[in-house]
């Protein structure tokens, strides 16, 4: 596997693997993008990271946690609604997880 998460909780047997675009992945990402647009995010949104989080058998369970620091405000453009702080010029940050295997 290519790389490890920096600062990950319970890092033993967890890895981050950068992904390349494939037709199947493009189709999955199109569905996520469609949902983001339907939720009101701007058409100017862009992807900044694409990787797989791999957890191997034997990894310890993680406690419930946020993958984004609570110090990062949920920022929406002025008048954006959704309960975030109104602040023009700063885009909202969205993390999307797509399960590609059965989740037990």
């Amino acid at each position: 596997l290519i790389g490890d998460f920096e600062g990950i909780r319970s890092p033993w047997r967890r890895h981050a693997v950068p992904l390349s675009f494939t037709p199947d992945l493009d189709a999955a990402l199109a569905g996520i993008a469609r949902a983001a647009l339907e939720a009101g995010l701007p058409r100017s949104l862009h992807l900044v990271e694409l990787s797989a989080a791999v957890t191997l058998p034997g990894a310890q369970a993680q406690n419930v946690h946020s993958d984004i620091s609570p110090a990062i405000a949920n920022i929406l453009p002025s008048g954006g609604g959704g309960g975030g702080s109104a602040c023009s010029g700063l885009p909202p940050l969205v993390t999307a997880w797509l399960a590609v295997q059965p989740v037990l």
Side-chain angles (χ1 to χ4, degrees):
L1 297 174
I2 305 176
D4 291 310
F5 290 97
E6 187 174 315
I8 188 171
R9 290 170 171 80
S10 305
W12 187 69
R13 304 189 61 80
R14 285 189 172 75
H15 303 276
V17 180
L19 298 177
S20 298
F21 287 98
T22 65
D24 289 337
L25 187 55
D26 286 347
L29 291 172
I32 293 171
R34 207 170 18 260
L37 294 172
E38 289 171 3
L41 292 172
R43 294 194 71 77
S44 61
L45 63 93
H46 61 275
L47 183 67
V48 295
E49 179 184 353
L50 182 61
S51 62
V54 179
T55 302
L56 300 172
Q60 291 184 336
Q62 292 181 331
N63 59 348
V64 176
H65 64 278
S66 171
D67 288 328
I68 300 171
S69 168
I72 305 295
N74 180 19
I75 299 171
L76 297 172
S78 293
S85 306
C87 182
S88 63
L90 296 175
L93 177 61
V94 177
T95 299
W97 289 90
L98 174 65
V100 293
Q101 81 288 337
V103 177
L104 304 175

